[in-house]
């Protein structure tokens, strides 16, 4: 957009000036005219050759020269301006005389026409300054500040277009504020490559805060110097008339601009941006107005840091409030997945992203503008090895991961967070490619000219294309506090997970304590109950023995029932006692050959059941298991006993076997592992109705009247379950009512495959 170029050497020593004024180089201390612009004849009525070598007092009164000297000594090194009367062959002429020293022995004087009608009186100046300053103080953010500046400068100067152009860290820039004539195309938001303003030009902008080109089509005026001029070629860095590089002139012509004024904006001494003014026709701004613009530029320069900080602060505050909401939601959610899913709306603003993918335990949720699920899946695989401190940040993903070219429109920028160390839980944020479509219809230019010399820098449209090229496959960079937002999310999640773990640990301790208490209670209660029960039982017996003759038949019957009931109660208490012991008893773990145990159990059964018809099937030898022999034999005994007991078949059979691959209980599918074995005890008995499949494991739960199927306490299966669970296994039953049941249970294998 500026291209005050340029790559040619000596940009600050062009050997020529613009045509709207004239320049004199004066050697001090004898005030000898040593160098002049070649237009003195038209401006002063003396040809340059005549002027060279003369003393300045041929053109200026002694008092004016003293005034210049005074100014120089009062504010050394500065640019000064005085409205002076020059004594020329054309008569007395008033010029706005702008001067600055070059070292201590040389002075550059530049004469600009002094506008006949003073644009500002002092009070007017003051009023304007005061008003603008007040406005600037009202601005809170940088964008407000910029908007006020462009408005005020357009009002003061009357330029067709006033813009603020800000450089980014790469040196490229964009238009961030604009005030313009309504009929002109907007440039707001346009970007330009670093090469548009070469380093040398930037350095000049940093030194000389205001640059005016009143007529882009001017004829450069060469400088002429005495042979012994000590400053040839003259350094015009601080000159107001410095001739403009032809490249820049061409660039401006291609934009249809006839006059420009540029004011530098500095932050911490470095060029931060420019206030750029354009006019569609030649346009001269008197020095006083320029000074006011320069002053506003300086005020703005002072304000940039604090306004930027305000803007950052606002953004940071916003991020903080999003974080707070997120943490609140996370705290209330039951699982990480649920928490993240519920907070999906907050996740995007948290880091200023357009899309987000949440990956927890193999499930992907997509929010906003994202690649497809399978693209995200592949990206995660690529990412897994690339996290550093749980973070991966890039604003040029396709450069690192070429597959991403396919979805550059949504994910040229990636900010990824790995939430947990062991499990794969990730949050990925996406930003689209930065390139934007711009309508250049208003800028008249012929692009083919641009290619003639192989360069493209003179053409704004080409320049924009060049910028597009440099930022292709890139998103806007992630700001430090956006990355911080992601990190804090991780800390918050970890904090919550830890808190949940803590709560769980506390619940576990509590559970263990109450379990122990329950066991102890069951033990004490059953133990202590036995004594009075025994007393009741004994007394009932005494009554029967000693007072039978005094009782009628009904009384004797009742005593018999009482004795039977005490017996049953004793059985129940013993079962409870046994059960309570199981909870406290240490397991005596060993590698067990269940085939041996089974043999003993079967022998006992056969002996106790006498000639009853029953078949005990073991289709193949059982594998080794890891467990407590006594307890596991109790399991088998109980299950086999039930299989034969709840069986009305004339050919009763029970089958004991194991499954080839471990199967887990339907309600707790995660409990099994590779080293788990699933055994079963199957019968052709009466079966169990579906609604009882779970309840039969409850203590004292029987499905039949006391007298049926040989009676029982309803504790057997509860004990079986407790033993299996103490071996970290599970037990469940499948049954077809009337046809038989299969009890499955899992146990740790006695040896692994290896
Ligand atoms: P008990 O046998 O002392 O009643 P259990 O806890 O061993 O107590 O069994 C609880 C109930 O489950 C039994 O009363 C019976 O109704 C039912 N049951 C247990 N095993 C079987 C089986 N193999 N077939 C059918 N019903 C069974």
């Amino acid at each position: 957009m500026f291209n005050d170029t340029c790559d040619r050497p000596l940009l600050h020593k062009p050997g020529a000036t613009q045509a709207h004024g004239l320049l004199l180089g004066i050697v001090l201390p004898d005030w000898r005219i040593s160098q002049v612009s070649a237009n003195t004849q038209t401006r002063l009525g003396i040809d340059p050759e005549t002027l060279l070598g003369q003393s300045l007092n041929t053109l200026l009164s002694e008092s004016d020269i003293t005034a210049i000297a005074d100014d120089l000594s009062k504010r050394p090194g500065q640019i000064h301006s005085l409205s002076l009367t020059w004594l020329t062959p054309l008569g007395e002429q008033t010029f706005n005389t702008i001067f600055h020293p070059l070292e201590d022995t040389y002075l550059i004087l530049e004469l600009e026409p002094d506008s006949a009608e003073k644009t500002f009186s002092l009070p007017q100046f003051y009023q304007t300054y005061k008003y603008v300053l007040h406005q600037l103080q009202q601005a809170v953010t940088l964008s407000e500040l910029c908007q006020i500046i462009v408005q005020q400068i357009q009002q003061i100067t009357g330029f067709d277009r006033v813009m603020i152009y800000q450089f980014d860290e790469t040196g490229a820039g964009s238009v961030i504020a604009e005030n313009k004539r309504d009929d002109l195309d907007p440039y707001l938001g346009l970007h330009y490559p670093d090469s548009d303003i070469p380093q040398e030009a930037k350095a000049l902008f940093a030194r000389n805060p205001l640059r005016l080109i009143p007529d882009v089509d001017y004829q450069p005026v060469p400088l002429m110097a005495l042979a012994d001029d000590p400053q040839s070629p003259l350094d015009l860095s601080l000159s107001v008339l410095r001739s403009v590089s032809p490249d820049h002139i061409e660039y401006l012509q291609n934009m249809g601009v006839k006059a420009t004024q540029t004011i530098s904006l500095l932050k911490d001494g470095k060029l931060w941006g420019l206030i750029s003014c354009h006019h569609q026709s030649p346009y001269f701004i008197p020095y006083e107005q320029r000074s006011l613009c320069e002053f506003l530029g300086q005020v703005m320069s002072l304000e940039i840091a604090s306004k930027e900080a305000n803007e950052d602060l606002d953004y940071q505050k916003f991020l903080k409030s999003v974080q707070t909401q997120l943490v609140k939601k996370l705290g209330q959610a039951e699982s990480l997945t649920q928490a993240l899913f519920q907070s999906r709306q907050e996740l995007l603003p948290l880091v200023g992203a357009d899309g987000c993918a949440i990956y927890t335990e193999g499930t992907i949720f997509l929010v906003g503008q994202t690649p497809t699920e399978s693209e995200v899946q592949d990206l995660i695989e690529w990412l897994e090895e690339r996290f550093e401190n749980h973070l991966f940040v890039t604003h040029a993903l396709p450069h690192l991961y070429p597959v991403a070219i396919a979805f550059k429109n949504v994910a040229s920028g990636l900010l990824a967070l790995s939430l947990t160390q062991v499990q794969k839980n990730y949050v990925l944020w996406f930003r689209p490619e930065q390139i934007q479509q711009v309508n250049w219809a208003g800028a008249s230019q012929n692009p083919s000219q641009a290619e003639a010399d192989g360069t493209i820098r003179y053409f704004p449209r080409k320049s924009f294309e060049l910028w597009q090229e440099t930022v292709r496959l890139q998103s806007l960079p992630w700001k430090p506090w956006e990355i911080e937002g992601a990190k804090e999310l991780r800390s918050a999640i970890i904090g919550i997970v830890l808190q949940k773990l803590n709560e769980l640990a506390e619940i576990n301790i509590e559970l263990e304590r109450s379990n122990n208490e329950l066991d102890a209670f069951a033990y004490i209660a059953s133990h202590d109950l036995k004594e009075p029960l025994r007393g009741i039982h004994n007394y009932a017996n005494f009554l029967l023995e000693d007072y039978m003759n005094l009782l009628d038949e009904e009384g004797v019957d009742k005593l018999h029932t009482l004795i039977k009931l005490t017996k049953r109660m004793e059985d129940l208490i013993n079962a409870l006692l046994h059960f309570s012991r199981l909870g406290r008893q240490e397991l005596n773990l060993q590698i067990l050959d269940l085939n041996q145990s089974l043999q003993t159990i079967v022998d006992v059964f056969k002996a106790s059941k006498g000639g009853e018809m029953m078949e005990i099937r073991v289709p193949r030898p059982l594998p080794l298991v890891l467990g407590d022999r006594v307890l596991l034999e109790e399991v088998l005994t109980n299950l086999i006993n039930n299989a034969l007991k709840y069986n009305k078949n004339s050919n009763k059979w029970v089958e004991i076997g194991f499954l080839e691959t471990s199967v887990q209980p339907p309600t707790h599918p995660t409990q099994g592992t590779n080293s788990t074995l699933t055994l079963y005890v199957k019968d052709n008995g009466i079966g169990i109705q579906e609604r009882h499949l779970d309840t039969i494991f409850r203590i004292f739960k029987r499905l039949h009247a006391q007298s049926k199927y040989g009676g029982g306490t309803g504790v057997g299966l509860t004990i079986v379950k407790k033993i299996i669970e103490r071996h970290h296994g599970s037990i469940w039953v499948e049954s077809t009512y009337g046809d038989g049941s299969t009890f499955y249970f899992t146990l740790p294998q006695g040896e692994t495959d290896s």
Side-chain angles (χ1 to χ4, degrees):
M1 167 162 286
F2 302 91
N3 208 312
D4 194 357
T5 194
C6 308
D7 304 332
R8 293 170 199 185
L10 308 178
L11 184 66
H12 60 302
K13 294 180 177 177
T17 66
Q18 296 182 59
H20 62 281
L22 60 96
L23 185 145
L24 303 176
I26 310 290
V27 175
L28 297 176
D30 46 4
W31 301 89
R32 185 163 49 96
I33 301 172
S34 181
Q35 201 160 157
V36 290
S37 53
N39 56 351
T40 54
Q41 180 67 53
T42 38
R43 298 276 173 179
L44 301 176
I46 320 176
D47 63 71
E49 287 84 358
T50 315
L51 211 49
L52 281 170
Q54 291 203 23
S55 168
L56 189 63
N57 59 21
T58 56
L59 291 169
L60 274 183
S61 69
E62 203 53 54
S63 60
D64 281 352
I65 292 180
T66 313
I68 292 175
D70 274 359
D71 268 11
L72 285 174
S73 63
K74 270 189 226 145
R75 286 175 287 128
Q78 293 288 301
I79 303 172
H80 307 263
S81 114
L82 288 171
S83 179
L84 298 179
T85 305
W86 290 72
L87 315 164
T88 76
L90 302 175
E92 290 189 355
Q93 289 193 65
T94 309
F95 284 110
N96 197 5
T97 311
I98 302 154
F99 53 97
H100 68 276
L102 269 190
E103 297 158 10
D104 287 341
T105 53
Y106 207 89
L107 183 67
I108 294 180
L109 284 171
E110 294 173 279
L111 282 58
E112 280 188 356
D114 202 12
S115 36
E117 54 328 329
K118 287 268 180 204
T119 39
F120 279 122
S121 67
L122 207 55
Q124 260 180 320
F125 246 123
Y126 174 68
Q127 289 305 329
T128 315
Y129 274 123
K130 206 170 86 170
Y131 175 70
V132 178
L133 279 182
H134 174 73
Q135 292 274 83
L136 292 178
Q137 276 160 1
Q138 301 297 308
V140 179
T141 62
L142 184 67
S143 23
E144 283 169 19
L145 180 75
C146 291
Q147 203 44 49
I148 292 169
I149 288 281
V150 290
Q151 268 165 9
Q152 291 304 322
I153 290 197
Q154 202 200 14
Q155 233 170 57
I156 293 166
T157 60
F159 270 106
D160 290 337
R161 184 196 301 275
V162 180
M163 303 171 271
I164 290 182
Y165 179 85
Q166 185 191 354
F167 301 111
D168 66 20
E169 56 283 357
T170 68
S174 57
V175 179
I176 58 166
E178 181 183 45
N179 221 47
K180 60 168 191 66
R181 236 172 52 195
D182 290 345
D183 58 320
L184 298 179
D185 280 341
Y187 288 173
L188 189 66
L190 291 192
H191 293 256
Y192 301 89
D194 182 28
S195 56
D196 260 21
I197 311 178
Q199 263 335 99
E200 205 191 343
K202 280 188 180 144
L204 277 176
F205 275 126
R207 284 193 69 196
N208 189 351
L210 192 137
R211 175 94 168 114
L212 177 72
I213 310 169
D215 184 1
V216 161
D217 300 326
Y218 75 93
Q219 280 298 316
V221 184
L223 285 173
M224 299 170 70
L226 290 174
D228 63 348
D229 180 84
Q231 294 288 348
S232 274
L234 202 53
D235 179 346
L236 297 183
S237 298
L238 299 181
S239 146
V240 292
L241 291 175
R242 171 162 49 87
S243 193
V244 186
S245 94
D247 294 345
H248 184 47
I249 292 291
E250 196 178 343
Y251 187 91
L252 293 172
Q253 284 167 340
N254 284 324
M255 281 181 112
V257 171
K258 293 288 180 206
T260 71
Q261 176 184 262
T262 313
I263 304 150
S264 314
L265 295 170
L266 304 177
K267 182 188 162 192
D268 304 328
K270 286 199 198 108
L271 192 65
W272 175 91
L274 297 167
I275 304 171
S276 172
C277 313
H278 287 180
H279 215 66
Q280 304 293 99
S281 53
Y283 200 56
F284 179 73
I285 303 290
Y287 190 76
E288 292 141 337
Q289 264 170 290
R290 271 149 51 203
S291 299
L292 179 52
C293 292
E294 191 184 317
F295 175 74
L296 291 183
Q298 280 164 359
V299 172
M300 171 151 176
S301 291
L302 290 174
E303 291 285 317
I304 288 171
S306 74
K307 294 292 188 281
E308 264 186 346
N310 273 355
E311 204 151 75
D312 289 353
L313 211 67
D314 275 0
Y315 187 50
Q316 285 174 33
K317 265 196 223 153
F318 166 73
L319 290 186
K320 263 275 166 283
S321 79
V322 173
Q323 272 173 26
T324 316
Q325 286 172 36
L326 197 68
V327 169
K328 206 167 133 198
K329 277 194 184 169
L330 290 175
Q332 287 160 356
E334 277 171 16
S335 69
L336 182 60
T337 317
Q338 192 196 44
L340 289 173
F341 184 69
Q342 280 176 356
S343 314
R344 60 196 182 284
Q345 292 314 331
E346 280 87 17
L347 283 178
L348 295 187
L350 181 73
V351 301
D354 289 34
C356 170
I358 305 164
Y359 181 96
T360 56
E361 292 141 27
T363 318
I364 297 179
F365 296 110
L366 300 177
V367 186
Q369 309 287 313
T370 66
T372 65
E373 204 172 306
S374 72
E375 285 167 339
V376 171
Q377 186 78 48
D378 293 346
L379 177 61
I380 286 174
E381 265 171 45
W382 174 85
L383 251 184
E384 273 171 351
E385 300 299 307
R386 289 177 168 79
F387 283 100
E388 258 178 51
N389 289 330
H390 316 285
L391 213 62
F392 180 87
V393 189
T394 176
H395 66 282
L397 182 63
H399 289 282
L400 306 173
Y401 177 63
V403 181
I405 292 175
F407 47 82
K408 65 187 171 70
N409 289 346
V410 288
S412 283
L414 170 68
L415 170 54
L417 191 64
S418 159
L419 294 176
T420 40
Q421 203 93 40
V422 188
Q423 285 165 319
K424 293 178 178 183
N425 291 315
Y426 307 111
V427 181
L428 276 63
W429 286 276
F430 305 109
R431 267 183 187 168
E433 195 179 28
Q434 191 183 348
I435 288 174
Q436 41 186 278
Q437 289 307 311
V438 176
N439 174 17
W440 277 103
S444 64
Q445 50 190 305
N446 177 359
S448 64
Q449 281 179 8
E451 275 123 40
D453 65 351
T455 62
I456 53 173
R457 61 175 182 257
Y458 314 138
F459 289 88
R461 186 205 301 271
K462 282 284 176 190
S463 156
F464 183 73
E465 282 166 11
L466 180 65
W467 171 79
Q468 280 195 324
E469 209 43 51
T470 60
V471 299
R472 228 167 59 80
L473 306 177
Q474 288 184 24
S475 72
L476 287 174
W478 303 94
K479 298 202 171 91
W481 46 88
E482 291 166 339
I483 297 172
E484 213 42 51
K487 281 193 197 158
E488 284 187 21
L489 173 70
R490 183 168 189 275
S491 313
I493 286 174
I494 288 180
I496 286 155
V497 170
L498 284 181
Q499 188 188 326
K500 288 255 184 281
L501 277 181
N502 249 345
E503 284 168 13
L504 219 63
E506 274 170 26
I507 290 170
N508 263 343
I509 292 169
E510 183 56 25
L511 216 65
E512 204 173 317
R513 198 180 56 77
S514 70
N515 263 347
N516 288 342
E517 272 175 11
L518 211 67
D519 280 347
F521 170 77
Y523 176 77
I524 293 164
S526 43
H527 189 265
D528 290 359
L529 281 176
K530 278 177 85 169
E531 199 190 301
L533 186 66
R534 186 129 295 277
I536 296 169
H537 178 82
N538 290 344
Y539 272 91
N541 265 333
F542 295 153
L543 273 178
L544 211 54
E545 283 166 18
D546 300 346
Y547 298 92
M548 184 128 105
N549 301 334
L550 297 179
L551 292 170
D552 60 7
E553 203 176 326
E554 201 188 336
V556 173
D557 258 10
K558 282 186 175 155
L559 272 179
H560 275 298
T561 310
L562 182 66
I563 289 166
K564 225 178 2 186
L565 285 174
T566 56
K567 183 78 190 68
R568 167 135 183 89
M569 189 150 177
E570 192 179 11
D571 289 348
L572 291 177
I573 288 174
N574 281 338
L576 189 63
L577 206 56
H578 180 48
F579 177 73
S580 78
R581 279 201 193 107
L582 274 179
R584 290 173 293 130
Q585 181 180 328
E586 283 287 317
L587 292 192
N588 180 16
L589 288 180
Q590 51 185 296
I591 297 196
L592 274 185
D593 182 358
L594 285 181
N595 300 297
Q596 278 176 14
S597 302
L598 208 54
Q599 192 54 56
T600 325
I601 295 166
V602 171
D603 290 347
V604 172
F605 263 107
K606 290 206 167 140
S608 66
K609 302 281 173 180
E612 206 178 319
M613 280 294 292
M614 59 178 180
E615 189 188 344
I616 296 181
R617 303 175 180 170
V618 183
R620 52 182 174 157
L622 302 177
L624 298 178
V625 298
L626 179 71
D628 183 306
R629 192 179 55 77
V630 177
L631 295 182
L632 291 187
E633 283 181 1
E634 187 172 351
V635 167
L636 288 174
T637 311
N638 259 320
L639 292 177
I640 297 170
N641 185 35
N642 279 352
L644 300 171
K645 188 161 109 179
Y646 300 103
N647 199 327
K648 292 192 284 193
N649 233 305
S650 46
N651 293 319
K652 299 177 187 181
W653 57 257
V654 54
E655 180 179 311
I656 300 110
F658 67 97
L659 302 181
E660 205 50 64
T661 45
S662 174
V663 172
Q664 277 82 52
T667 42
H668 302 287
T670 51
Q671 283 185 359
T673 66
N674 287 342
S675 52
T676 312
L677 192 70
T678 307
L679 295 127
Y680 66 86
V681 175
K682 186 176 179 161
D683 62 53
N684 63 340
I686 59 173
I688 302 161
Q689 283 172 305
E690 183 154 0
R691 65 195 157 98
H692 293 308
L693 290 180
D694 279 338
T695 51
I696 51 169
F697 293 101
R698 283 194 213 144
I699 195 158
F700 301 136
K701 178 72 185 177
R702 295 201 78 238
L703 302 179
H704 316 281
Q706 181 50 40
S707 54
K708 289 189 100 182
Y709 300 105
T713 54
V715 179
L717 286 179
T718 317
I719 285 175
V720 166
K721 185 165 188 265
K722 179 101 178 183
I723 294 175
I724 296 295
E725 283 174 354
R726 289 218 55 198
H727 284 78
H728 303 291
S730 319
I731 181 162
W732 69 104
V733 59
E734 287 173 10
S735 180
T736 311
Y737 190 53
D739 262 1
S741 317
T742 310
F743 284 81
Y744 294 95
F745 56 99
T746 59
L747 284 176
Q749 260 181 354
E751 59 185 15
T752 55
D753 295 340
S754 59

